[in-house]
Amino acid sequence: MAAQEQPETLISESRIRERVELLARRISHDYADAGELLLIGVLRGAFIFLADLTRRLEIEHQVDFIALSSYEESDERSGAVRLIMDVRAGLESRHVLIVEDIVDTGHTLDYLKQTLVARGPASVRTCALLRKPSRVEVPVAVDYLGFDIPDAWVVGYGLDYGNRHRTLPYIGVIDPEGDAAEQPDRSET
Ligand code: PRP
């Protein structure tokens, strides 16, 4: 297998680690008296962020997963989102924290929050490692945010381009024109 060209670093491994530790301390503090917290990771991109965050929390909590996909109109995202795989846990009267890797247009997080709120939890908050403020179309609150970033194609730490670069330990930037990846196929998810 050919070696991959390494994307340019946007956020280093050590900056990510420090930020995840800070977020974990804040979440642990805020939910200390709230009863058991349920983290819901959004597949696939959030799996590495969630794995690091959950191991740093100092409070009792449980973990579940949900998978979503965007509907497409030709090559453009339409903004509509569909549920691919639901959580196993019941949410009634529970404190829920959605864990996302990135908020781009905001459609996914907005859809997910509305969907989960309708199930009668005690609360629903949001945690995202990355947000692109210049791309937001739906202004959904991010209660625990890692970093605001510019509008670039970012990969690593769970994020992919055409299913490549997900396991980079840092957040890197690629030029999709110059990257030899297979084309991103959002329809497969
Ligand atoms: C990414 C990311 C978010 C969503 C954000 O998922 O993980 O779920 O896009 O985009 P939005 O704010 O414009 O709705 P993606 O569709 O790339 O799937 P993946 O996580 O499985 O790679």
Side-chain angles (χ1 to χ4, degrees):
M1 189 183 292
Q4 292 186 11
E5 197 174 318
Q6 291 306 295
E8 186 187 333
T9 302
L10 180 67
I11 306 172
S12 69
E13 204 174 343
S14 61
R15 281 186 70 205
I16 295 171
R17 187 168 51 245
E18 285 169 16
R19 194 68 193 166
V20 172
E21 283 171 3
L22 181 69
L23 291 174
R25 281 201 299 276
R26 282 189 190 154
I27 293 165
S28 300
H29 172 268
D30 292 353
Y31 287 90
D33 302 318
E36 200 166 278
L37 174 64
L38 177 65
L39 299 189
I40 298 182
V42 185
L43 296 173
R44 291 171 286 188
F47 78 107
I48 292 178
F49 176 40
L50 177 68
D52 283 348
L53 187 67
T54 187
R55 288 178 295 170
R56 287 176 173 81
L57 289 182
E58 296 152 3
I59 52 170
E60 287 286 324
H61 65 283
Q62 294 182 359
V63 173
D64 207 331
F65 293 94
I66 199 164
L68 303 167
S69 181
S70 309
Y71 283 107
E72 290 180 24
E73 287 174 356
S74 65
D75 288 340
E76 293 296 320
R77 288 188 172 203
S78 64
V81 179
R82 67 190 161 120
L83 189 61
I84 301 289
M85 185 194 86
D86 208 345
V87 291
R88 288 195 192 181
L91 304 188
E92 203 165 329
S93 304
R94 304 189 69 178
H95 292 285
V96 171
L97 181 59
I98 299 167
V99 180
E100 260 287 25
D101 54 336
I102 186 165
V103 180
D104 189 348
T105 63
H107 286 288
T108 304
L109 193 55
D110 181 60
Y111 166 88
L112 183 52
K113 192 170 177 186
Q114 288 187 40
T115 300
L116 299 186
V117 163
R119 298 180 185 181
S123 68
V124 178
R125 286 185 187 162
T126 57
C127 175
L129 181 69
L130 306 173
R131 177 175 61 184
K132 290 181 180 173
S134 63
R135 293 264 307 162
V136 170
E137 295 173 7
V138 183
V140 56
V142 179
D143 301 294
Y144 303 94
L145 177 67
F147 304 93
D148 273 330
I149 60 169
D151 182 15
W153 196 293
V154 285
V155 294
Y157 202 67
L159 293 104
D160 73 308
Y161 174 69
N163 266 321
R164 296 175 65 209
H165 304 301
R166 267 196 211 279
T167 53
L168 275 182
Y170 61 92
I171 302 291
V173 176
I174 59 161
D175 170 10
E177 301 290 315
D179 195 282
E182 55 184 288
Q183 287 303 301
D185 180 6
R186 299 191 187 281
S187 62
E188 75 185 49
T189 54

